[in-house]
Amino acid sequence: MTQSFNFLAYALPLVFGYLADTRFGRFRIICYGVGVFGIAHVLMVGAGSKQLLADGTAKVPYFLSVYILAVGAAMFKPNVSPLLLDQVTNTVPTVVTLASGERVIQDPESTTERVMLWFYLLINVGGFFGVATSYAEKYVGWWLAFLLPLLLYIPLPFLLWFLYKRLVLHPPGGSDLANVFRVLGVVLRRGGIKRIGRSGFWDLAKPSEIAKAGLNIKTQWNDAFVDDVRRTFQATGIFSFFPIQFINDNGIGSAASFLSTALRTDGVPNDVISNFNSLSIIAFAPILNYGLYPLLRKLNIHYGPVARITTGLAMSTIGGVGYTVLQYYAYKLSPCGNMATKECQIEPKVADISIWWMAIPYAIGGISELFINVPAYGIAYSRAPVNMRGLVSAINLFNTAIAYAIGLAASSVIVDPHLTWDFGGSAIAGAILTVIFYFTFRHIDKEEYVLSQNQDAHLVSTGTTNVVGLNELNKSVNRPAPIADNEEMMISQKQ
């Protein structure tokens, strides 16, 4: 059930990211999602009541609450990070003067990285709340474990109401998805499959190149839009490597949970150990934000998104190796041998290995997320056409759904006595894919960080022809001063 819930939470964003781009806007979809969250939380608290649990009738409201919660998460996830990055209006490097009189360059790439590190840290502050709910369930009851998140949820509608007129909000305006497929059709028709990945492949769909070739192909886009499509496909190619990181981070399917049942817990709830993933993120994000990244900039070392993601993939592979070693010794030291996780009844029933050792691969996996997921948010936003940022963010999330789907598909072999290879095989695959990833995408680190400036991709009246027009959704009392002479309505053309 956990696997199916997570699959839906990461697959359905494709629908709601698209709807946010085309019909409702990011803020409105987020509000709808928060409303759905409320319904799910109330049902979940009710399902945890002692009376329903005693009667055996808690399953229906609980299952309903879980899958309703998945829908709410799918509304929220693909839209919150683009909405946050919409607030970063300095989209080109700008020289600013500090209060001390020092003149510095305000770099949008560094700003995006810092903002998203804080965003990811706060996500995991919420994730770490699982420690409290685990102990609440163990010592009080399920009702309290479900009530605590509901209490945290209650202020959210009021917070959204407070923020509504203080945010820069872009209205929905149609999607460029149809034109993306048209561009893809043109390049495949003119260049064929053999030219995919070669220099000039995407140029074949540029109206200027079509005109030079004397071809009568109707186009509803401009040259800049084709560059946006190229960058978007590069982004989706980058995202396609993320499932292996997730598998090595958390173990394929329920493998990590099975491993924990074979180790000595000393009274600690099994669920507590997995929270070292969130704890490591909370501890390490400020080190990156105020230590490593500023130091690298001071030394004039460009640590681009591909280099950071490669680092994260390598770290997650090391975490996978950690799980493999623990599972190997769990089998070796268990009184039940390689059937250690199947309710071993031979005393002492578990291997003489503390469950706290699992904190190491969990923590390594958490730190790897800072090097992978944080750059991914910036890539999804900066390399997508203006009208597809919600959808491209959803594509990034969908790769986590793929990881869960792999876990579901492999569930029949994620059992004793195969668990060592379940972890080890994933670690080997992670090591190979890390090398392939770096040599495939390393050239992107040499490109300048650029947000799409193509507001007029449509040469006909479809989609959004002016996403920055002032309207009731994006009026704001706290817009920053213009940062370039070529701005329109206080937002740079690069946005």
Side-chain angles (χ1 to χ4, degrees):
M1 182 177 179
T2 300
Q3 296 290 309
S4 60
F5 162 78
N6 285 307
F7 174 79
L8 290 174
Y10 285 97
L12 290 178
L14 289 173
V15 175
F16 295 111
Y18 178 81
L19 290 176
D21 287 337
T22 57
R23 295 196 58 186
F24 298 103
R26 289 189 266 276
F27 187 81
R28 184 178 294 181
I29 289 287
I30 288 172
C31 291
Y32 292 161
V34 169
V36 173
F37 282 155
I39 296 171
H41 279 304
V42 171
L43 279 172
M44 195 170 288
V45 172
S49 71
K50 294 180 180 179
Q51 184 63 43
L52 291 181
L53 289 171
D55 295 343
T57 55
K59 289 184 179 179
V60 173
Y62 177 70
F63 288 159
L64 280 174
S65 70
V66 167
Y67 290 113
I68 291 173
L69 187 65
V71 174
M75 292 179 174
F76 190 86
K77 285 178 179 293
N79 295 301
V80 65
S81 61
L83 178 62
L84 179 59
L85 290 176
D86 283 342
Q87 314 312 306
V88 182
T89 56
N90 58 317
T91 57
V92 293
T94 311
V95 176
V96 297
T97 303
L98 302 179
S100 62
E102 180 184 4
R103 289 169 61 83
V104 298
I105 296 176
Q106 196 172 62
D107 178 33
E109 182 177 14
S110 300
T111 301
T112 297
E113 187 70 26
R114 174 163 287 194
V115 167
M116 299 318 295
L117 275 169
W118 277 112
F119 170 69
Y120 205 67
L121 183 151
L122 292 173
I123 288 175
N124 283 276
V125 168
F128 192 65
F129 198 67
V131 174
T133 57
S134 294
Y135 278 101
E137 178 274 322
K138 184 176 179 69
Y139 295 110
V140 180
W142 286 106
W143 66 270
L144 181 60
F146 296 146
L147 179 62
L148 292 176
L150 175 60
L151 294 176
L152 287 180
Y153 159 83
I154 289 173
L156 283 182
F158 301 101
L159 179 63
L160 290 173
W161 173 80
F162 173 79
L163 291 174
Y164 173 65
K165 292 186 178 181
R166 294 168 172 81
L167 295 173
V168 176
L169 302 174
H170 298 314
S175 174
D176 286 319
L177 187 59
N179 275 342
V180 168
F181 284 112
R182 292 188 184 104
V183 167
L184 185 61
V186 171
V187 295
L188 289 175
R189 188 162 65 249
R190 292 193 64 196
I193 295 177
K194 292 182 179 180
R195 287 200 61 180
I196 292 177
R198 296 185 179 181
S199 177
F201 174 72
W202 292 102
D203 292 344
L204 297 174
K206 290 183 176 180
S208 61
E209 296 296 325
I210 293 173
K212 288 180 184 178
L215 299 175
N216 185 23
I217 299 177
K218 182 181 178 181
T219 60
Q220 299 180 11
W221 57 85
N222 56 22
D223 286 2
F225 180 76
V226 177
D227 288 330
D228 286 343
V229 173
R230 173 184 62 82
R231 286 156 48 82
T232 300
F233 272 88
Q234 285 178 336
T236 55
I238 289 172
F239 301 154
S240 68
F241 284 79
F242 291 177
I244 192 61
Q245 181 272 336
F246 185 87
I247 289 171
N248 279 320
D249 183 354
N250 300 275
I252 183 171
S254 301
S257 296
F258 292 151
L259 170 59
S260 69
T261 64
L263 305 180
R264 193 183 73 247
T265 62
D266 299 325
V268 177
N270 289 18
D271 294 341
V272 168
I273 300 301
S274 63
N275 285 280
F276 271 84
N277 179 286
S278 295
L279 181 61
S280 66
I281 292 170
I282 295 168
F284 206 75
I287 295 174
L288 295 181
N289 239 344
Y290 297 104
L292 179 61
Y293 291 161
L295 176 62
L296 292 176
R297 286 193 290 269
K298 187 175 181 179
L299 297 174
N300 200 28
I301 297 174
H302 180 57
Y303 190 34
V306 171
R308 295 197 297 272
I309 292 172
T310 302
T311 302
L313 289 172
M315 291 188 67
S316 68
T317 299
I318 294 170
V321 172
Y323 286 122
T324 305
V325 171
L326 280 173
Q327 186 63 63
Y328 171 80
Y329 280 102
Y331 278 160
K332 185 176 181 179
L333 299 178
S334 170
C336 293
N338 61 6
M339 304 301 289
T341 69
K342 282 195 171 182
E343 298 183 2
C344 178
Q345 299 301 317
I346 303 174
E347 293 295 336
K349 298 183 180 181
V350 294
D352 189 22
I353 302 172
S354 173
I355 197 174
W356 290 103
W357 283 104
M358 287 189 69
I360 296 175
Y362 271 124
I364 293 173
I367 295 171
S368 77
E369 293 177 28
L370 291 171
F371 290 98
I372 292 179
N373 293 342
V374 172
Y377 289 127
I379 289 171
Y381 187 84
S382 67
R383 302 186 78 85
V386 170
N387 298 335
M388 288 181 60
R389 285 173 177 160
L391 180 60
V392 175
S393 294
I395 292 172
N396 174 28
L397 296 169
F398 183 70
N399 285 278
T400 302
I402 292 175
Y404 280 112
I406 293 171
L408 286 169
S411 59
S412 62
V413 295
I414 306 175
V415 293
D416 292 330
H418 310 299
L419 291 176
T420 301
W421 274 107
D422 290 337
F423 290 119
S426 300
I428 293 170
I432 295 171
L433 290 174
T434 298
V435 176
I436 294 173
F437 172 83
Y438 177 72
F439 285 101
T440 302
F441 296 107
R442 60 179 177 173
H443 65 281
I444 291 177
D445 278 348
K446 299 177 182 178
E447 297 180 9
E448 182 183 357
Y449 179 85
V450 176
L451 285 170
S452 174
Q453 59 181 350
N454 188 30
Q455 305 289 6
D456 299 312
H458 299 283
L459 302 183
V460 295
S461 297
T462 60
T464 301
T465 57
N466 184 11
V467 300
V468 296
L470 193 66
N471 61 71
E472 71 279 1
L473 288 177
N474 65 10
K475 288 180 180 178
S476 177
V477 297
N478 63 338
R479 286 190 182 276
I483 60 173
D485 292 335
N486 63 357
E487 284 189 330
E488 179 184 9
M489 304 305 290
M490 298 294 188
I491 297 181
S492 165
Q493 290 180 359
K494 281 204 170 187
Q495 196 170 13

